[in-house]
Amino acid sequence: MSTKPFSIAIDGPAGAGKSTVAKAVAAELDAMYLDTGAMYRAFGLYMLRRGAVGDRQAVIDALDDVDIAVEFIDGAQHIFLGGEDVTAAIREPGVSMAASDVSAVPEVRARMVALQQKIAEGHSVIMDGRDIGTKVLPNATLKIYLTASAEERARRRCLELEQKGMPEPYEKVLREMQERDYQDTHRAASPLRPAADAVTVDTTGKTLEQSVATIKRLALEAIGKF
Ligand code: DC
């Protein structure tokens, strides 16, 4: 296997299992895993706290004073907002949509993409998000578009919420997921879409182990070739 740093881009809609699969494959291949959605979530949380998520100019102005940092503590990604560890807070209800809202602003994307590219520099990395293959890592060793039916993604999200002790009705989870997917695929700036050279992997009806095995096989093939 090549010892050159490699990069794997995993894009796809909400709840497709990107982070779970990326984390598992990164551990097996000894690569850094970067969850880019966490950065948009941290900025969304910042704007929520200011009560100004929908105010485009306020969002752009906030880029001058927001302080978002990523640290890896015992191998796990933590995200800091002005020095406060918001790793748990960014998963709270309402933050997903706020993240999607602020992520549509091109100035926000430019800032986040630069930060993501800087973190990845010189490392073997697996990144997940919406624009990794199209924008952040255009020369990635492997690009995956990970997807699953909306119904299956909503079922998985419901199970996850139940396990966290925060159950939500299936219909609500499905509706919110569809709204967010619509917004993420229809924005003008770097909309979610498969890169021209991405391999699409549909995980509908697959177990996590099967999905991890598929991505690991594709990754080893791509790394072996480059
Ligand atoms: O991956 P996630 O659900 O944590 O991401 C939250 C939102 O952030 C998502 O709805 C769209 C946005 N996002 C993005 O625009 N680009 C990325 N690379 C990652 C996330």
Side-chain angles (χ1 to χ4, degrees), residues 11 14-15 18 35-38 40-41 91 95-96 99-100 103-104 109 116 128-132 136 157 180 184 187 190:
D11 292 299
K18 299 184 298 292
D35 165 8
T36 63
Y40 292 96
R41 284 174 179 270
R91 304 291 158 194
V95 181
S96 304
S100 178
S103 77
R109 304 204 64 79
Q116 289 152 15
D128 75 1
R130 304 293 187 286
D131 61 339
I132 309 303
V136 183
R157 187 48 58 88
R180 194 148 67 94
D184 293 345
R187 66 183 179 216
S190 310

Side-chain angles (χ1 to χ4, degrees), residues 113-182:
V113 169
L115 186 59
Q116 289 152 15
Q117 289 172 332
K118 190 160 183 282
I119 295 171
E121 240 169 35
H123 299 276
S124 283
V125 69
I126 301 187
M127 265 194 217
D128 75 1
R130 304 293 187 286
D131 61 339
I132 309 303
T134 53
K135 202 84 189 180
V136 183
L137 302 172
N139 300 315
T141 319
L142 173 68
K143 299 178 185 177
I144 302 281
Y145 189 78
L146 199 71
T147 188
S149 72
E151 292 74 18
E152 171 132 352
R153 292 187 284 117
R155 271 196 300 276
R156 288 181 194 162
R157 187 48 58 88
C158 280
L159 204 69
E160 202 181 301
L161 289 168
E162 214 175 283
Q163 284 163 353
K164 281 189 184 164
M166 310 188 289
E168 293 266 8
Y170 169 80
E171 291 304 333
K172 178 170 178 262
V173 171
L174 178 64
R175 193 178 57 246
E176 286 177 359
M177 201 168 250
Q178 286 172 327
E179 273 169 21
R180 194 148 67 94
D181 286 349
Y182 184 88

